[in-house]
């Protein structure tokens, strides 16, 4: 496989960082070839045994890239949920979508596992969005490494030096807000380890175009939302209970209903309306489409409408003709997969996460794509979806505070 010129250059720069600092952070935008660049860097480093950690749905694509560079070393490719199976016996570690390790103030379990596995090992970090919400997300990403640029052993100690004291309110309770940081001080410690590269620099000629489609609010959904907001409870004809006795549950139920589904207290998720799925089938007939959904019951609605046309493997989808429909839950499909053969991506519902927004919308992009990648958002008129959209596109997560403001 012939690497693009910029991938070769970045590999050589990353090699120098690994030799000097044992850390190289490839902050390359989606579809610019982070995986190939990282694998080539490992090859140049002379690694014999590499651990590549990624998301489950991305594994097949990564293995394909590994074959393309003719497997110059032994590689163990696993998803983050399987870290407990690994020992500390690798020459080099590659952490894909490493922004998912930036949770604070406490490290996630996967971060603790990685710290064990990565002791005294060089690490290549990969992410198109290293700190999607706060520079505080850098701390635990680098805490994994024995060669972290930060000397502080605990996040709270780190935040005293690099953070700005602030508070926020959660469920009417005041808590510390650790998201505010001294940007310049943080970047001074880490920017020498980061190699950034944009789609424009890579020569992309097509970009993401977003289109919002507003569908009439189904009468049953409109009634259910208003009923829950007013009475906080609905009992169906079958005796099943839909409960919104807290503000959080109300927000979640309203969100579910805007996808045409809802989860009842008995634990079952039921489909109330399939107008979004029916709209896709009617208006995108003849097109090769990928669909991201949020809730399990939305998947059931899509399978009911599209039947045997459904494909859930991205590589199989890219090889197939125009008579198939790819579907995936947003969070599991937003990172690491390539859906570039799709004519468009349709968002059946929207996630509360800003990361989901920015990552999912880029799944169609490749350098060789000539036409713009079109992402369609299906919103019900007067529903919560557009309110969430306006928040997450500004790189903020949609929270209970935003919900309460939207209801005023």
């Amino acid at each position: 496989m012939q690497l693009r010129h910029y991938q070769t250059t970045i590999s050589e720069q990353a090699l120098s960082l690994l030799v000097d600092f044992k850390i190289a952070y490839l902050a390359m935008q989606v579809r610019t070839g982070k995986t190939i660049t990282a694998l080539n860097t490992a090859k140049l480093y002379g690694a014999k045994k590499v651990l590549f950690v990624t998301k489950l749905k991305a594994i097949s694509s990564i293995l394909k890239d590994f074959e393309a560079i003719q497997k110059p070393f032994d590689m163990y490719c696993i998803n983050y949920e399987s870290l407990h199976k690994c020992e500390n016996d690798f020459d080099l570690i590659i952490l894909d979508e490493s922004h998912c390790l930036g949770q604070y103030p406490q490290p996630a379990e996967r971060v603790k596992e990685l710290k064990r596995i990565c002791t005294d090992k060089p690490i290549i970090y990969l992410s198109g969005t290293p700190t999607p919400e706060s520079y505080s997300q850098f701390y635990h990403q680098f805490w994994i490494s024995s060669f972290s640029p930060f000397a502080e052993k605990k996040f709270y100690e780190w935040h005293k030096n690099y953070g700005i004291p602030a508070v926020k309110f959660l469920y009417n309770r005041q808590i510390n807000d650790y998201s505010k940081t001294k940007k310049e001080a943080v970047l001074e410690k880490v920017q020498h380890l980061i190699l950034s590269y944009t789609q424009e620099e890579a020569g992309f000629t097509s970009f993401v175009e977003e289109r919002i489609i507003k569908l009439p609010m189904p009468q049953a959904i409109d009634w259910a939302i208003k009923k829950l907001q007013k009475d906080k409870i609905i009992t169906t004809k079958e005796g099943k209970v839909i409960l919104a006795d807290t503000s959080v549950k109300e927000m979640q139920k309203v969100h579910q209903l805007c996808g045409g589904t809802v989860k009842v207290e008995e634990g079952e998720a039921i489909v109330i309306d399939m107008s979004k799925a029916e709209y896709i089938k009617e208006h995108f007939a003849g097109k090769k489409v990928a669909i991201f959904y949020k809730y399990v019951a939305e998947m059931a609605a899509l399978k009911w409408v599209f039947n045997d046309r459904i494909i859930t493997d991205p590589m199989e989808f890219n090889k197939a003709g125009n008579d198939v429909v790819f579907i995936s839950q947003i969070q599991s499909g937003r990172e690491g997969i390539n859906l570039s053969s799709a004519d468009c991506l349709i968002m059946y519902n929207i996630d509360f996460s800003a990361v989901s927004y920015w990552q999912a919308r880029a799944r169609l992009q490749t350098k060789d794509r000539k036409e713009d990648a079109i992402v369609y958002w299906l919103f019900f008129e007067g529903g919560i979806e557009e309110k969430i959209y306006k928040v997450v596109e500004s790189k903020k997560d949609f929270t209970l505070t935003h919900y309460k403001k939207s209801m005023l």
Side-chain angles (χ1 to χ4, degrees):
M1 178 182 183
Q2 184 68 39
L3 271 68
R4 298 187 178 108
H5 175 71
Y6 70 84
Q7 292 169 336
T8 301
T9 300
I10 294 173
S11 297
E12 293 168 351
Q13 293 170 340
L15 172 63
S16 296
L17 292 178
L18 288 179
V19 171
D20 293 341
F21 304 105
K22 305 300 182 186
I23 291 174
Y25 202 125
L26 307 188
M28 301 169 66
Q29 287 188 343
V30 292
R31 309 264 63 91
T32 55
K34 292 188 294 293
T35 300
I36 285 291
T37 305
L39 293 173
N40 191 56
T41 301
K43 175 183 176 181
L44 295 176
Y45 188 75
K48 302 298 183 185
K49 188 177 182 181
V50 174
L51 174 65
F52 199 118
V53 191
T54 186
K55 298 297 181 72
L56 181 61
K57 287 194 174 182
I59 290 177
S60 59
S61 176
I62 288 163
L63 293 178
K64 182 179 178 181
D65 286 343
F66 186 52
E67 289 182 4
I69 65 166
Q70 300 179 336
K71 301 181 179 181
F73 44 77
D74 291 333
M75 187 174 76
Y76 187 35
C77 186
I78 64 168
N79 62 308
Y80 280 102
E81 288 69 32
S82 301
L83 288 168
H84 61 281
K85 302 176 183 178
C86 292
E87 300 297 331
N88 181 343
D89 61 349
F90 296 94
D91 301 327
L92 183 144
I93 318 293
I94 302 174
L95 303 178
D96 195 19
E97 307 295 353
S98 55
H99 57 268
C100 74
L101 307 170
Q103 178 181 326
Y104 61 88
Q106 297 296 332
E109 283 303 314
R110 63 177 61 178
V111 173
K112 296 177 184 178
E113 287 286 355
L114 281 169
K115 188 169 181 65
R116 171 184 63 81
I117 296 167
C118 295
T119 300
D120 296 326
K121 299 294 189 293
I123 302 175
I124 301 174
Y125 296 85
L126 306 180
S127 177
T129 53
T131 54
E133 297 156 13
S134 166
Y135 283 106
S136 290
Q137 291 172 297
F138 268 136
Y139 177 76
H140 280 127
Q141 291 185 62
F142 288 119
W143 178 77
I144 292 167
S145 172
S146 300
F147 310 96
S148 172
F150 301 116
E152 294 80 6
K153 302 301 182 184
K154 301 288 185 181
F155 175 83
Y156 297 107
E157 179 186 355
W158 178 88
H159 199 266
K160 285 181 181 179
N161 296 330
Y162 296 94
I164 300 172
V167 297
K168 61 183 178 181
F169 290 88
L170 183 65
Y171 310 141
N172 298 318
R173 183 167 61 92
Q174 180 177 301
I175 61 174
N176 290 326
D177 180 0
Y178 295 105
S179 66
K180 307 292 191 268
T181 62
K182 302 170 186 174
K183 177 181 176 180
E184 291 75 15
V186 176
L187 290 179
E188 184 179 353
K189 299 294 289 187
V190 305
Q191 59 188 1
H192 66 289
L193 303 173
I194 300 173
L195 299 172
S196 301
Y197 206 73
T198 67
Q199 291 180 342
E200 287 85 354
E201 290 174 311
F204 275 56
T205 57
S206 67
F207 298 95
V208 175
E209 177 186 342
E210 297 183 68
R211 299 178 186 177
I212 294 175
I213 298 173
K214 294 185 180 181
L215 306 181
M217 174 73 79
Q219 186 175 354
I221 300 298
D222 185 51
W223 176 87
I225 290 174
K226 290 176 179 176
K227 175 74 171 174
L228 278 179
Q229 290 174 333
K230 179 183 177 182
D231 299 335
K232 311 304 178 187
I233 188 171
I234 297 174
T235 302
T236 70
K237 293 178 181 179
E238 295 79 18
K240 295 177 181 178
V241 176
I242 305 168
L243 192 62
D245 55 348
T246 68
S247 297
V248 173
K249 288 180 73 171
E250 180 185 311
M251 178 177 74
Q252 291 172 339
K253 299 302 181 187
V254 170
H255 189 213
Q256 291 167 18
L257 286 165
C258 286
T261 73
V262 72
K263 190 172 185 179
V264 298
E265 286 301 295
E266 292 79 3
E268 178 189 1
I270 58 177
V271 178
I272 299 174
D273 179 88
M274 293 192 289
S275 57
K276 285 189 175 181
E278 296 288 359
Y279 179 90
I280 297 170
K281 183 177 182 180
E282 179 181 352
H283 289 81
F284 291 87
K287 291 187 178 295
K288 188 175 184 180
V289 300
I291 305 172
F292 278 0
Y293 60 86
K294 170 65 177 174
Y295 298 107
V296 173
E298 295 171 355
M299 175 185 68
L302 287 165
K303 286 187 174 181
W304 179 268
V305 170
F306 288 101
N307 201 358
D308 58 359
R309 292 175 57 196
I310 295 289
I311 287 181
T312 57
D313 181 272
M315 292 187 69
E316 182 183 345
F317 172 75
N318 284 330
K319 294 176 183 177
N322 291 339
D323 58 341
V324 297
V325 175
F326 174 85
I327 66 170
S328 173
Q329 201 275 341
I330 298 171
Q331 287 180 305
S332 64
R334 72 189 184 188
E335 297 169 336
I337 69 171
N338 176 6
L339 300 172
S340 58
S341 70
D343 294 321
C344 59
L345 172 64
I346 302 171
M347 307 299 289
Y348 195 88
N349 204 340
I350 186 168
D351 193 49
F352 294 132
S353 165
V355 173
S356 290
Y357 168 77
W358 289 103
Q359 292 280 352
R361 67 195 288 274
R363 290 307 97 201
L364 305 187
Q365 288 186 282
T366 63
K367 183 179 183 296
D368 300 322
R369 189 182 183 104
K370 302 304 180 184
E371 69 281 1
D372 284 346
I374 303 176
V375 178
Y376 291 94
W377 298 87
L378 298 189
F379 297 158
F380 282 144
E381 289 276 5
I384 193 177
E385 309 103 295
E386 190 168 12
K387 298 178 178 67
I388 298 172
Y389 177 84
K390 290 179 179 178
V391 173
V392 296
E393 72 168 343
S394 64
K395 298 188 176 181
K396 298 177 182 178
D397 289 348
F398 188 87
T399 64
L400 183 61
T401 300
H402 292 115
Y403 175 72
K404 288 182 175 179
K405 287 180 179 179
S406 73
M407 294 299 107
L408 297 177

